Amino acid sequence: MTVLYFAWVKEKVGLSQETVAPPPEVTTVSKLIDWLADRSAGHKAAFANRKLIKSAVDQVHVDHGGRVDSATEVAFFPPVTGG
Amino acid sequence: MTVLYFAWVKEKVGLSQETVAPPPEVTTVSKLIDWLADRSAGHKAAFANRKLIKSAVDQVHVDHGGRVDSATEVAFFPPVTGG
Amino acid sequence: MFTVRVQNEAFNIGEEIGAFCAANSSSGGIVTFVGQMRDFRGPDWDSGTAVVAMTLEHYPGMAERQLSDLTAEAQRRWPLDAVLVIHRFGKLTPGDPIVLVAVASAHRESAFDACRFLMDWLKTQAPFWKKENTPTGATWVQASASDHAKVSRWKP
Amino acid sequence: MFTVRVQNEAFNIGEEIGAFCAANSSSGGIVTFVGQMRDFRGPDWDSGTAVVAMTLEHYPGMAERQLSDLTAEAQRRWPLDAVLVIHRFGKLTPGDPIVLVAVASAHRESAFDACRFLMDWLKTQAPFWKKENTPTGATWVQASASDHAKVSRWKP
């Protein structure tokens, strides 16, 4: 699974993307956040207030209850500010 | 008083404008239409169905009850179709 | 800047909008409406009648005045940085732009609302009349009842 | 034609809109929205902070996909002849156009509605993030609560 980070989430994590292999019990975005937050101090800081973080699974917006079991690409970012 | 005609009103009257001096009892647009309609067969044809005719007094839209006593310019035309 | 132009000469849409955006580069949002002369009359080209040319008659003086009054009313209703209204008169050929309304504002909502307000009112208030030349003759365009219905939403 | 472009290169507003109008000269009405980079942050220039440059980060792939999905949704909702969406990413300087949405339709109501729908959704759904460079440093722009409120009117 590829995990992508954007904007200040990327800056806090210190990575724009990484390839991870979470265990099978990581079935939702929320559980993936729990699991990722333990990877480094940067990850922990980025996910400290998860209400600020939006997520997309395979390039489609999903909330934190969305499934990630069969995802190939999961992204985390702040609310969008384009336009 | 200058009277202006536009679009098919102009074509029916056969004039784009004329200078007229209606008597003092012609105080409203409606009375002016009555008075103008007698000037020629073209005028009569143009004003035959006055519900189709819009009017402006001194370049401001008014309905047929509008005053013309002190008007210097009165215009008659069909509903506008610009834009 | 608030500008109204009523003119016989054709105008270039890209140049006008490009210059308007450049002159208002500090405005957050710019909304424009362009009305172009269609080459048919009716619901669509296939079931419609070909229109080969159009003459736009106008009421000189009142046309400029009405458009300026509408622009001033839009300024009163919304916080606008600039408005440009250009309306053609005279002989037009298919594809010619007839009207351009451009509105610049810090707020995109205001720009959208004001541009739509100007078009709705222009359609029912500005003294212009279209005559279409079709292969079977020239006829005056009928006013649209729906245009009159649209304007009612802007009543104060 | 329904076109979405997500690009690093600057674009010329006048040329893009001029070409769009020329390509859709049979459409009765064309509505466009242009968003340009402002040179200040805050309610107005005097009380705001100067912004000297901006970096627009985006999610490649998803950005194009979201904008294409929004365009397809607009086509389902309104009778549209053509849509053009251009969105920049990368480094921008004040006055640069950020986004252009152009909509052509036989009906001006549909063109206005669809253009506004696209902008409202783009603002809350398209994966772009603005970072502003001010004299005191670079900061990520905060999402606007009012943008999220605006989108609720388009719920089916």
Side-chain angles (χ1 to χ4, degrees):
Chain A
M1 177 194 292
T2 303
V3 180
L4 306 175
Y5 306 104
F6 294 99
W8 60 254
V9 180
K10 175 180 73 179
E11 292 177 352
K12 289 198 176 182
V13 171
L15 291 169
S16 61
Q17 69 174 77
E18 59 186 326
T19 304
V20 298
E25 62 266 27
V26 174
T27 51
T28 64
V29 171
S30 186
K31 286 174 180 166
L32 180 60
I33 291 175
D34 292 337
W35 186 79
L36 288 167
D38 284 335
R39 286 173 68 86
S40 79
H43 287 78
K44 192 166 291 294
F47 289 116
N49 186 352
R50 63 180 66 192
K51 283 182 188 155
L52 301 179
I53 311 269
K54 300 286 180 184
S55 44
V57 173
D58 292 330
Q59 304 193 356
V60 175
H61 291 288
V62 295
D63 62 28
H64 291 185
R67 308 288 302 190
V68 296
D69 322 52
S70 55
T72 59
E73 187 174 299
V74 180
F76 295 101
F77 42 78
V80 303
T81 56
Chain B
M1 177 193 293
T2 303
V3 180
L4 307 174
Y5 305 104
F6 295 98
W8 59 254
V9 180
K10 175 180 74 178
E11 292 177 352
K12 288 197 177 183
V13 172
L15 290 169
S16 61
Q17 69 174 80
E18 58 186 326
T19 304
V20 298
E25 62 267 27
V26 174
T27 51
T28 65
V29 172
S30 186
K31 286 174 180 165
L32 181 59
I33 291 175
D34 292 337
W35 186 79
L36 288 167
D38 285 335
R39 286 174 68 85
S40 79
H43 286 80
K44 192 165 291 295
F47 289 116
N49 186 350
R50 64 180 66 191
K51 283 182 187 157
L52 302 178
I53 311 267
K54 300 285 180 185
S55 46
V57 173
D58 291 330
Q59 305 194 354
V60 174
H61 291 289
V62 296
D63 62 29
H64 292 185
R67 309 288 302 192
V68 296
D69 322 52
S70 54
T72 58
E73 186 174 301
V74 180
F76 295 101
F77 42 79
V80 302
T81 56
Chain C
M1 196 150 71
F2 296 82
T3 307
V4 168
R5 283 160 41 196
V6 174
Q7 64 185 50
N8 184 225
E9 306 75 47
F11 60 92
N12 183 296
I13 295 168
E15 281 173 22
E16 297 291 347
I17 295 178
F20 185 81
C21 289
N24 296 286
S25 60
S26 288
S27 298
I30 289 168
V31 173
T32 73
F33 178 88
V34 174
Q36 301 185 107
M37 192 199 140
R38 287 196 278 182
D39 58 358
F40 67 94
R41 183 173 63 201
D44 53 51
W45 206 91
D46 291 329
S47 62
T49 305
V51 176
V52 294
M54 178 187 276
T55 307
L56 252 168
E57 186 167 321
H58 79 303
Y59 183 168
M62 183 172 170
E64 292 82 352
R65 184 171 164 166
Q66 276 284 312
L67 294 175
S68 297
D69 288 353
L70 291 178
T71 300
E73 177 62 23
Q75 275 183 269
R76 270 190 292 276
R77 294 191 181 207
W78 294 280
L80 307 181
D81 297 330
V83 173
L84 169 64
V85 178
I86 307 177
H87 202 301
R88 289 281 306 278
F89 63 84
K91 189 108 175 176
L92 281 81
T93 47
D96 272 2
I98 300 171
V99 63
L100 166 65
V101 174
V103 177
S105 175
H107 309 278
R108 83 174 178 283
E109 295 285 289
S110 299
F112 271 114
D113 281 340
C115 189
R116 199 160 177 164
F117 166 89
L118 286 166
M119 277 309 303
D120 284 353
W121 278 103
L122 184 158
K123 282 265 181 187
T124 57
Q125 301 286 311
F128 294 87
W129 300 273
K130 288 178 182 143
K131 191 176 200 174
E132 290 175 340
N133 297 307
T134 69
T136 55
T139 50
W140 292 98
V141 171
Q142 296 268 328
S144 146
S146 71
D147 279 338
H148 283 267
K150 279 163 201 158
V151 99
S152 62
R153 82 172 133 228
W154 301 110
K155 288 284 187 303
Chain D
M1 196 148 71
F2 296 81
T3 308
V4 167
R5 283 160 41 197
V6 174
Q7 63 184 50
N8 183 225
E9 306 74 46
F11 61 92
N12 182 296
I13 294 169
E15 282 174 22
E16 297 291 347
I17 295 178
F20 185 82
C21 289
N24 296 286
S25 60
S26 288
S27 298
I30 289 168
V31 173
T32 73
F33 178 88
V34 175
Q36 301 184 108
M37 195 200 137
R38 286 196 278 183
D39 58 359
F40 66 95
R41 183 174 62 201
D44 53 52
W45 205 92
D46 291 328
S47 62
T49 305
V51 176
V52 294
M54 177 186 279
T55 307
L56 254 168
E57 186 168 321
H58 79 303
Y59 183 168
M62 184 171 168
E64 291 83 351
R65 186 171 163 165
Q66 276 284 312
L67 294 175
S68 297
D69 287 354
L70 291 178
T71 300
E73 178 61 23
Q75 276 182 268
R76 271 189 292 276
R77 293 191 183 209
W78 294 281
L80 307 180
D81 297 331
V83 172
L84 169 64
V85 178
I86 307 177
H87 202 300
R88 291 280 305 278
F89 63 85
K91 189 106 175 179
L92 281 81
T93 47
D96 272 1
I98 300 171
V99 63
L100 166 65
V101 174
V103 177
S105 175
H107 309 278
R108 83 174 179 282
E109 295 285 288
S110 299
F112 271 113
D113 281 340
C115 190
R116 197 159 178 165
F117 166 90
L118 285 166
M119 278 309 304
D120 284 352
W121 279 101
L122 183 157
K123 282 265 181 187
T124 57
Q125 301 286 310
F128 293 87
W129 299 273
K130 288 178 182 142
K131 191 176 201 176
E132 290 175 340
N133 297 307
T134 69
T136 55
T139 50
W140 292 99
V141 171
Q142 296 269 327
S144 146
S146 71
D147 277 338
H148 284 268
K150 278 164 201 159
V151 99
S152 63
R153 84 173 130 226
W154 300 111
K155 287 284 188 300

